[in-house]
Amino acid sequence: MKRLHFIKVSDERSIKIVASLAKEIWNEHFTPIIGRPQVEYMLEKFQSEEAIRRQIKKEQFLYYLFKKEDRYIGYAGLVPHGKKGELFLSKFYVVAGQRKKGYGRKALAFIEQTAKAMKSKKIALTVNKNNVGAMRAYRQLGFKKTAALITDIGSDFIMDDYRMEKSLG
């Protein structure tokens, strides 16, 4: 397996790359799970260049690109929660052709190191209840379901998720 590099998203070029990866990954992976209208809505609301820029500048998100050789293969969006002792893994995606090759595992190891450096005691995330493959992968990586959540995200759309957590004990 080739070495994976983690690049902090901090400029307009890298924001454009994240938005482009989001569009590719979300259309491929989430359309069968939640449908095209909700994918388009969520991309605009949460993963457009404007949304990513706002998250970084105003919402304390940390975005990282995953790069293998000369190709970007995924990204993560992290939200430190300080007093709660939690790092929220808001976004964690790898392009279709690079899944099941160990890159997600390597990226999660980097995220765990980042969380520990921030003195986080756990990593939390949400995953769609019908995203069976992702849930299986998270369980294999040490995450446990802690709650079922239904979140109204506007325009008559909801996110029907499980919250999962991994202790960094």
Side-chain angles (χ1 to χ4, degrees):
M1 180 186 332
K2 301 289 182 193
R3 183 176 156 91
L4 201 57
H5 298 276
F6 303 97
I7 298 143
K8 188 172 183 183
V9 175
S10 60
D11 60 16
E12 287 301 312
R13 180 180 173 274
S14 56
I15 288 171
K16 286 181 187 302
I17 294 167
V18 171
S20 175
L21 283 168
K23 189 172 184 179
E24 174 187 345
I25 294 166
W26 277 64
N27 279 305
E28 171 268 325
H29 187 75
F30 287 105
T31 299
I33 296 172
I34 60 175
R36 182 161 309 284
Q38 185 165 343
V39 165
E40 289 173 1
Y41 175 78
M42 291 180 74
L43 281 170
E44 183 60 33
K45 184 167 178 146
F46 301 117
Q47 295 289 258
S48 65
E49 290 176 35
E50 181 181 326
I52 294 163
R53 192 177 303 110
R54 180 189 69 249
Q55 291 164 4
I56 291 169
K57 292 186 192 298
K58 297 184 179 175
E59 299 173 28
Q60 289 75 48
F61 272 67
L62 302 170
Y63 272 90
Y64 292 92
L65 284 161
F66 314 153
K67 188 175 184 181
K68 181 183 83 167
E69 296 171 342
D70 62 346
R71 181 163 185 246
Y72 294 101
I73 65 164
Y75 67 98
L78 317 175
V79 186
H81 280 122
K83 291 181 185 174
K84 284 186 181 177
E86 170 183 296
L87 180 76
F88 185 69
L89 180 53
S90 177
K91 319 283 188 278
F92 186 56
Y93 305 109
V94 175
V95 297
Q98 301 300 316
R99 293 182 199 135
K100 297 183 181 180
K101 295 183 178 184
Y103 296 118
R105 185 177 296 276
K106 281 188 172 194
L108 187 62
F110 168 79
I111 292 163
E112 285 182 22
Q113 285 180 312
T114 302
K116 288 176 182 176
M118 294 176 179
K119 308 282 190 249
S120 297
K121 295 183 179 13
K122 67 181 170 184
I123 297 173
L125 58 85
T126 56
V127 60
N128 184 284
K129 290 177 182 174
N130 294 311
N131 197 349
V132 178
M135 281 190 287
R136 183 180 324 109
Y138 288 132
R139 279 194 304 273
Q140 290 171 349
L141 294 168
F143 284 83
K144 293 180 177 21
K145 284 185 204 172
T146 60
L149 307 168
I150 296 177
T151 308
D152 183 337
I153 58 171
S155 293
D156 294 324
F157 293 116
I158 61 160
M159 292 192 309
D160 191 10
D161 296 330
Y162 287 118
R163 177 180 167 92
M164 299 182 83
E165 297 178 358
K166 180 177 183 175
S167 174
L168 299 177

PDB file of all heavy atoms in Angstrom, residues 3 13-14 18 37 50 83 116 125 132 164:
ATOM      1  N   ARG A   3       2.007   5.134   0.610  1.00  0.00           N
ATOM      2  CA  ARG A   3       1.931   6.050   1.746  1.00  0.00           C
ATOM      3  C   ARG A   3       0.800   7.056   1.523  1.00  0.00           C
ATOM      4  O   ARG A   3       0.572   7.517   0.408  1.00  0.00           O
ATOM      5  CB  ARG A   3       3.270   6.765   1.878  1.00  0.00           C
ATOM      6  CG  ARG A   3       3.355   7.685   3.056  1.00  0.00           C
ATOM      7  CD  ARG A   3       4.756   8.258   3.150  1.00  0.00           C
ATOM      8  NE  ARG A   3       4.728   9.502   3.868  1.00  0.00           N
ATOM      9  CZ  ARG A   3       4.892   9.599   5.180  1.00  0.00           C
ATOM     10  NH1 ARG A   3       5.092   8.513   5.887  1.00  0.00           N
ATOM     11  NH2 ARG A   3       4.872  10.773   5.769  1.00  0.00           N
ATOM     12  N   ARG A  13      -7.752  26.776  -2.897  1.00  0.00           N
ATOM     13  CA  ARG A  13      -7.502  25.607  -3.754  1.00  0.00           C
ATOM     14  C   ARG A  13      -7.905  24.314  -3.050  1.00  0.00           C
ATOM     15  O   ARG A  13      -8.599  23.466  -3.621  1.00  0.00           O
ATOM     16  CB  ARG A  13      -6.031  25.559  -4.162  1.00  0.00           C
ATOM     17  CG  ARG A  13      -5.702  24.377  -5.053  1.00  0.00           C
ATOM     18  CD  ARG A  13      -4.200  24.368  -5.457  1.00  0.00           C
ATOM     19  NE  ARG A  13      -3.877  23.164  -6.163  1.00  0.00           N
ATOM     20  CZ  ARG A  13      -3.523  22.008  -5.572  1.00  0.00           C
ATOM     21  NH1 ARG A  13      -3.435  21.922  -4.258  1.00  0.00           N
ATOM     22  NH2 ARG A  13      -3.244  20.935  -6.298  1.00  0.00           N
ATOM     23  N   SER A  14      -7.495  24.169  -1.791  1.00  0.00           N
ATOM     24  CA  SER A  14      -7.822  22.935  -1.069  1.00  0.00           C
ATOM     25  C   SER A  14      -9.314  22.859  -0.741  1.00  0.00           C
ATOM     26  O   SER A  14      -9.885  21.765  -0.728  1.00  0.00           O
ATOM     27  CB  SER A  14      -6.943  22.776   0.177  1.00  0.00           C
ATOM     28  OG  SER A  14      -7.030  23.874   1.034  1.00  0.00           O
ATOM     29  N   VAL A  18     -11.832  19.704  -1.760  1.00  0.00           N
ATOM     30  CA  VAL A  18     -12.776  19.024  -0.859  1.00  0.00           C
ATOM     31  C   VAL A  18     -14.176  19.035  -1.448  1.00  0.00           C
ATOM     32  O   VAL A  18     -14.849  18.001  -1.493  1.00  0.00           O
ATOM     33  CB  VAL A  18     -12.774  19.659   0.554  1.00  0.00           C
ATOM     34  CG1 VAL A  18     -13.906  19.079   1.407  1.00  0.00           C
ATOM     35  CG2 VAL A  18     -11.438  19.450   1.249  1.00  0.00           C
ATOM     36  N   PRO A  37     -32.418  14.090  -4.619  1.00  0.00           N
ATOM     37  CA  PRO A  37     -32.802  15.411  -4.106  1.00  0.00           C
ATOM     38  C   PRO A  37     -32.135  15.748  -2.759  1.00  0.00           C
ATOM     39  O   PRO A  37     -31.649  16.858  -2.562  1.00  0.00           O
ATOM     40  CB  PRO A  37     -34.323  15.336  -3.974  1.00  0.00           C
ATOM     41  CG  PRO A  37     -34.721  14.309  -4.995  1.00  0.00           C
ATOM     42  CD  PRO A  37     -33.607  13.298  -4.971  1.00  0.00           C
ATOM     43  N   GLU A  50     -18.639  27.282  -0.323  1.00  0.00           N
ATOM     44  CA  GLU A  50     -19.076  28.296   0.647  1.00  0.00           C
ATOM     45  C   GLU A  50     -19.296  27.685   2.027  1.00  0.00           C
ATOM     46  O   GLU A  50     -18.880  28.256   3.053  1.00  0.00           O
ATOM     47  CB  GLU A  50     -20.358  28.962   0.151  1.00  0.00           C
ATOM     48  CG  GLU A  50     -20.882  30.041   1.073  1.00  0.00           C
ATOM     49  CD  GLU A  50     -22.175  30.655   0.553  1.00  0.00           C
ATOM     50  OE1 GLU A  50     -22.345  30.773  -0.675  1.00  0.00           O
ATOM     51  OE2 GLU A  50     -23.006  31.006   1.401  1.00  0.00           O
ATOM     52  N   LYS A  83     -14.384  21.104  26.078  1.00  0.00           N
ATOM     53  CA  LYS A  83     -14.773  20.682  27.423  1.00  0.00           C
ATOM     54  C   LYS A  83     -15.403  19.299  27.459  1.00  0.00           C
ATOM     55  O   LYS A  83     -15.282  18.590  28.444  1.00  0.00           O
ATOM     56  CB  LYS A  83     -15.735  21.700  28.045  1.00  0.00           C
ATOM     57  CG  LYS A  83     -15.074  23.015  28.368  1.00  0.00           C
ATOM     58  CD  LYS A  83     -16.066  23.972  28.990  1.00  0.00           C
ATOM     59  CE  LYS A  83     -15.398  25.331  29.195  1.00  0.00           C
ATOM     60  NZ  LYS A  83     -16.358  26.325  29.663  1.00  0.00           N
ATOM     61  N   LYS A 116      -5.975  12.819  20.152  1.00  0.00           N
ATOM     62  CA  LYS A 116      -5.163  12.694  21.374  1.00  0.00           C
ATOM     63  C   LYS A 116      -4.321  13.942  21.603  1.00  0.00           C
ATOM     64  O   LYS A 116      -4.173  14.393  22.739  1.00  0.00           O
ATOM     65  CB  LYS A 116      -4.284  11.446  21.293  1.00  0.00           C
ATOM     66  CG  LYS A 116      -5.080  10.159  21.441  1.00  0.00           C
ATOM     67  CD  LYS A 116      -4.212   8.937  21.262  1.00  0.00           C
ATOM     68  CE  LYS A 116      -5.035   7.664  21.362  1.00  0.00           C
ATOM     69  NZ  LYS A 116      -4.231   6.462  21.091  1.00  0.00           N
ATOM     70  N   LEU A 125     -19.148  10.203  15.982  1.00  0.00           N
ATOM     71  CA  LEU A 125     -19.581  10.446  14.607  1.00  0.00           C
ATOM     72  C   LEU A 125     -21.035  10.040  14.482  1.00  0.00           C
ATOM     73  O   LEU A 125     -21.588   9.398  15.374  1.00  0.00           O
ATOM     74  CB  LEU A 125     -18.702   9.677  13.614  1.00  0.00           C
ATOM     75  CG  LEU A 125     -18.624   8.149  13.768  1.00  0.00           C
ATOM     76  CD1 LEU A 125     -19.774   7.446  13.045  1.00  0.00           C
ATOM     77  CD2 LEU A 125     -17.301   7.645  13.237  1.00  0.00           C
ATOM     78  N   VAL A 132     -24.860   0.527   5.740  1.00  0.00           N
ATOM     79  CA  VAL A 132     -24.452  -0.710   6.400  1.00  0.00           C
ATOM     80  C   VAL A 132     -22.942  -0.942   6.309  1.00  0.00           C
ATOM     81  O   VAL A 132     -22.306  -1.313   7.296  1.00  0.00           O
ATOM     82  CB  VAL A 132     -25.236  -1.909   5.811  1.00  0.00           C
ATOM     83  CG1 VAL A 132     -24.803  -3.214   6.441  1.00  0.00           C
ATOM     84  CG2 VAL A 132     -26.731  -1.695   5.984  1.00  0.00           C
ATOM     85  N   MET A 164     -22.132   7.031  16.881  1.00  0.00           N
ATOM     86  CA  MET A 164     -21.163   6.013  17.262  1.00  0.00           C
ATOM     87  C   MET A 164     -19.987   6.717  17.938  1.00  0.00           C
ATOM     88  O   MET A 164     -19.663   7.856  17.603  1.00  0.00           O
ATOM     89  CB  MET A 164     -20.690   5.207  16.043  1.00  0.00           C
ATOM     90  CG  MET A 164     -21.818   4.456  15.351  1.00  0.00           C
ATOM     91  SD  MET A 164     -21.248   3.452  13.932  1.00  0.00           S
ATOM     92  CE  MET A 164     -20.691   1.980  14.814  1.00  0.00           C
TER      93      MET A 164
END
